[in-house]
Amino acid sequence: MVAIDTPLLMDSVLLMITVHNLPARCLQWKGFKQLLEPLSNACGVTVNGVNMMKNIKEVGQKIREHIASEVHGRLISLKIDSASRHQRHILGINAQYTVDDVVCIRTLDMLEVRERQTAKFLKTKIMEVVLSYGVVVGQIFSVTCDNGANMLAAVRLLKQEFELLACDSENIDEMERADHEAHEFVAELGNELQENLNLIRCAVHTLQLAILDVINKSNASVKIVTEIAKKCKHVKYTLSFDTAQVSRPPVWGPTRWCGIYEMNDSFLQNEHFFKQLAQQFPELDLGETWQFIQNYVEAYKPLYICTKNMQERHVSLPDFYLQWLLAIMEVSKLKDNPLSAPLKDALTSRLEKLRQSRAFKMALYLDPRLNYMGSKLFHPEEKEHIQGYIVETYNRIISFRESAKLRLDTSSSTQEDDFDSFLIDMFGICDAPVSGETSGSRFLQQLKALEVEPRQNHGYDVWKHWVNRRDTSRTIRRSFRGPGCSSNQISVERAFSALPVVMTDRRAGLGEENLRNILLVKLNEPLIETVMPQLYSTH
């Protein structure tokens, strides 16, 4: 005998259709019928595609209500991106915010849009989605958007209350037609939104541009390695690879970050095998290109590591900044590598552009690893500007949020290493504190007091530092925590990875409403267990 009830049965079928990507018509398959009919009859319910889509819609509505309760009275950061599948264009909207000192990333909607619809119309639809969660315009702290160099030009001209973290759109590689249309689509939307938003560069995509500033797909050596990698796919070499138990080198793609590095590294990791293989098959001989491969892998490894670290669920702006500086330091050590100097210059130049953002400066100012007594990170005029922006941001936060009681966590990391020495050389050593009070309001005094605090090493947990401090007013804590502003939009791009498994060839005709509901439930999977009891308590 198996113990099962209606909620468990319906929940299991819902997960199969949403999270595990089975089509609703699977309920008509003979095997599923033999399994489900005895269970559904015992529970006294009917399980078919029609009532399951209705159930998914109800679960989606409960998820929307739960998210609405979470964002109530909070600043949020929006993330917007677009993708295409089977000639259908989908606009994804994510929200990021903090609840009880935990960063939450939720999918608000996955809108299907038509190619001919205007950006103005799309802006209206986005605002409709945001307003449907009870979020007013003043709660939007930032919007992260892929693409939009034409948006960046507006930064110097606009002095509005919002920020758009927009990616640099320098198109290094030719994208497939669908991706190209999707990016153009978002750029057009950015033009429509720029009337109300300040625009800055997306940090992660800018890092990829820095990577390609020195060596890109048009490089002669890259072309040679790519051609050999493609040849290795031929069936005539299969026995050689299988006998040696060596994987074929990956052929990089234009949409895959660090693809050129992974291709070169695959050759270098199996250098002895490939040189032996070339003796048998001369057409696979890399010759003098081996020196390029060695230089490339050595120089680009720190950037590869940085990119991988940036793919965590949430990476703050200061953490990204330190990851970037760490990459610069590691590249600078390679004195004999011909790629070291130009790569360091590209990284330094790109990073300087990122630092022009007010939000970026605010985050760095509130980080004790970077701003401390004697730090040379900002000059006095910059500090005044940043302090003003923090006050402005705090005023927005206190208009929505109640103060919280936080406990002090005295634990911290104090061990320093060569990267800390590198940072001290760059920004200066921590001077001894001086006596005396700063001028201005109490809040400004507290902000200015950050400049005389001791320096923390690069491994210090800054999030916990601000969440738990007692000796500093909760006003600064709120300014730091805010909406948990992210340095990247990777969460949206990961959401779009669901499209190929949801919109398969056999499900290309899935209706717009059903598609939205399935994606909303699938992409907010952690909330399913929370809302399911609410669903059945109302039935």
Side-chain angles (χ1 to χ4, degrees):
M1 180 176 291
V2 178
I4 191 169
D5 55 15
T6 299
L8 179 58
L9 174 63
M10 301 300 283
D11 185 22
S12 300
V13 177
L14 179 140
L15 289 174
M16 284 190 281
I17 295 176
T18 57
V19 177
H20 302 300
N21 312 308
L22 288 180
R25 67 174 176 274
C26 74
L27 301 175
Q28 304 304 316
W29 296 347
K30 183 177 180 180
F32 262 98
K33 280 188 173 184
Q34 291 178 345
L35 177 65
L36 290 176
E37 281 185 357
L39 297 175
S40 60
N41 290 337
C43 294
V45 296
T46 301
V47 180
N48 56 43
V50 175
N51 61 22
M52 282 312 304
M53 295 311 297
K54 179 181 178 182
N55 205 39
I56 291 171
K57 180 178 180 180
E58 292 177 350
V59 172
Q61 182 57 36
K62 291 296 182 182
I63 287 176
R64 290 184 178 93
E65 292 172 2
H66 182 88
I67 295 175
S69 67
E70 285 185 333
V71 299
H72 179 69
R74 287 185 168 88
L75 283 187
I76 68 172
S77 291
L78 294 181
K79 302 182 181 185
I80 300 174
D81 202 357
S82 180
S84 297
R85 178 76 175 171
H86 288 297
Q87 289 77 51
R88 297 174 70 173
H89 298 272
I90 308 297
L91 182 70
I93 306 173
N94 277 17
Q96 180 169 313
Y97 46 89
T98 57
V99 177
D100 297 330
D101 305 324
V102 176
V103 175
C104 297
I105 302 175
R106 310 295 191 203
T107 296
L108 301 185
D109 214 335
M110 301 291 280
L111 291 166
E112 182 173 1
V113 296
R114 312 300 178 184
E115 291 185 49
R116 298 300 180 183
Q117 290 176 339
T118 65
K120 185 175 183 179
F121 169 80
L122 297 172
K123 182 187 73 171
T124 301
K125 296 297 291 184
I126 290 172
M127 292 311 301
E128 286 178 0
V129 170
V130 172
L131 293 173
S132 71
Y133 287 88
V135 175
V136 298
V137 176
Q139 287 177 254
I140 303 174
F141 178 75
S142 65
V143 181
T144 306
C145 180
D146 185 9
N147 199 288
N150 49 357
M151 295 187 246
L152 299 174
V155 175
R156 300 178 186 86
L157 304 176
L158 300 176
K159 299 296 180 182
Q160 305 295 333
E161 58 180 333
F162 309 117
E163 289 230 6
L164 178 63
L165 296 173
C167 291
D168 196 313
S169 67
E170 297 176 37
N171 196 1
I172 301 299
D173 298 300
E174 294 180 4
M175 312 296 286
E176 294 189 12
R177 185 181 64 83
D179 287 332
H180 179 69
E181 290 178 354
H183 286 281
E184 283 188 340
F185 163 81
V186 177
E188 183 183 2
L189 175 61
N191 284 333
E192 181 64 31
L193 292 173
Q194 70 178 18
E195 295 180 2
N196 299 317
L197 301 169
N198 288 319
L199 315 177
I200 62 175
R201 297 174 183 265
C202 173
V204 187
H205 288 78
T206 304
L207 175 60
Q208 304 313 304
L209 294 172
I211 289 174
L212 296 172
D213 281 341
V214 180
I215 300 291
N216 58 43
K217 69 168 188 176
S218 63
N219 180 273
S221 296
V222 170
K223 290 182 178 180
I224 293 173
V225 179
T226 303
E227 186 62 29
I228 299 297
K230 290 179 179 179
K231 288 181 179 179
C232 288
K233 305 296 183 183
H234 198 281
V235 67
K236 66 184 289 188
Y237 311 117
T238 299
L239 182 60
S240 298
F241 279 95
D242 291 347
T243 301
Q245 295 184 329
V246 172
S247 298
R248 290 175 171 81
V251 178
W252 64 276
T255 60
R256 182 175 177 84
W257 291 345
C258 299
I260 297 177
Y261 172 86
E262 291 177 339
M263 179 180 67
N264 282 310
D265 186 56
S266 178
F267 277 104
L268 190 61
Q269 292 294 328
N270 300 285
E271 181 178 358
H272 179 70
F273 165 76
F274 282 109
K275 286 183 175 180
Q276 284 188 327
L277 188 64
Q279 293 176 4
Q280 182 179 359
F281 302 102
E283 67 272 19
L284 300 182
D285 187 12
L286 285 164
E288 296 180 356
T289 309
W290 278 111
Q291 185 60 54
F292 165 81
I293 293 175
Q294 293 169 2
N295 290 335
Y296 188 97
V297 172
E298 181 185 49
Y300 278 79
K301 184 176 181 179
L303 279 70
Y304 178 76
I305 294 174
C306 182
T307 300
K308 291 299 181 182
N309 289 339
M310 282 301 300
Q311 296 180 38
E312 297 293 332
R313 182 171 176 271
H314 168 64
V315 180
S316 68
L317 290 171
D319 286 339
F320 168 82
Y321 186 71
L322 288 173
Q323 287 285 342
W324 192 306
L325 290 179
L326 178 60
I328 291 178
M329 183 192 78
E330 295 297 334
V331 170
S332 300
K333 293 178 179 179
L334 308 174
K335 304 298 184 182
D336 298 328
N337 192 309
L339 300 179
S340 175
L343 195 52
K344 176 186 175 183
D345 292 342
L347 289 168
T348 303
S349 176
R350 293 282 185 180
L351 184 59
E352 186 59 33
K353 293 178 181 178
L354 288 177
R355 280 191 51 184
Q356 303 310 308
S357 160
R358 291 193 304 170
F360 212 135
K361 291 181 179 181
M362 182 183 76
L364 300 185
Y365 183 89
L366 292 170
D367 195 312
R369 298 170 298 179
L370 297 165
N371 185 38
Y372 48 84
M373 185 63 176
S375 173
K376 298 177 288 186
L377 181 61
F378 300 113
H379 56 70
E381 292 78 9
E382 279 185 301
K383 291 180 180 178
E384 290 185 8
H385 173 80
I386 296 167
Q387 290 162 2
Y389 185 46
I390 294 174
V391 171
E392 174 190 337
T393 303
Y394 165 66
N395 288 335
R396 293 176 61 192
I397 293 173
I398 61 173
S399 67
F400 297 112
R401 302 185 62 180
E402 297 291 332
S403 61
K405 295 181 180 180
L406 302 173
R407 293 182 297 177
L408 177 65
D409 182 354
T410 57
S411 62
S412 65
S413 173
T414 58
Q415 184 177 358
E416 297 190 356
D417 55 24
D418 60 339
F419 184 43
D420 286 297
S421 300
F422 174 79
L423 294 174
I424 290 173
D425 290 340
M426 178 175 290
F427 302 126
I429 196 169
C430 178
D431 294 339
V434 295
S435 59
E437 296 185 356
T438 57
S439 60
S441 68
R442 181 183 178 187
F443 185 27
L444 281 176
Q445 289 177 3
Q446 293 165 350
L447 287 178
K448 293 177 183 295
L450 299 180
E451 301 170 20
V452 298
E453 291 192 357
R455 178 188 172 275
Q456 303 294 340
N457 70 76
H458 72 87
Y460 186 70
D461 191 335
V462 181
W463 180 269
K464 188 177 292 185
H465 170 90
W466 285 111
V467 165
N468 296 318
R469 281 189 61 166
R470 290 181 181 274
D471 60 325
T472 303
S473 170
R474 58 177 172 265
T475 57
I476 299 181
R477 293 202 298 267
R478 283 176 171 174
S479 295
F480 175 78
R481 290 161 61 195
C485 188
S486 176
S487 61
N488 63 69
Q489 60 176 63
I490 290 175
S491 64
V492 191
E493 297 181 2
R494 284 178 176 159
F496 282 126
S497 67
L499 283 179
V501 293
V502 174
M503 295 179 65
T504 61
D505 293 340
R506 294 185 177 183
R507 301 176 81 182
L510 197 62
E512 180 177 346
E513 182 181 10
N514 288 338
L515 176 63
R516 288 176 68 182
N517 290 331
I518 289 174
L519 287 172
L520 182 72
V521 175
K522 178 181 179 63
L523 298 175
N524 290 295
E525 181 183 353
L527 297 180
I528 295 178
E529 290 187 7
T530 301
V531 304
M532 288 299 285
Q534 303 172 20
L535 178 68
Y536 291 106
S537 66
T538 60
H539 285 180

